[in-house]
Amino acid sequence: MPSRRAPRGSFSVDLAVFLAILATGVVLVLVGHVSPEALAGYASALAGLYAAWHHRPRGGETQQPPPEVPPAPER
């Protein structure tokens, strides 16, 4: 029976971090230090890194390799 995973952090912390990053991006674009296109590229890369980190197995969990399939008999 699969068990439910405990959330990694509270919603309010995640929301605060999201809003801080969003505000930083807006300020950087308005001041002219980064173009919107470059900011979109950075955001895509960071989102991919976050997704890989968020979906990693926890301490005691290991991924089981698929069972080995015996070779097919020759005809």
Side-chain angles (χ1 to χ4, degrees), residues 21 24-25 28-29 33-50:
I21 291 171
T24 303
L28 287 173
V29 169
H33 285 289
V34 68
S35 68
E37 294 84 11
L39 185 62
Y42 298 146
S44 299
L46 289 174
L49 289 174
Y50 175 76

Side-chain angles (χ1 to χ4, degrees), residues 46-61:
L46 289 174
L49 289 174
Y50 175 76
W53 172 80
H54 188 68
H55 296 294
R56 74 184 192 284
R58 291 179 22 167
E61 301 174 10

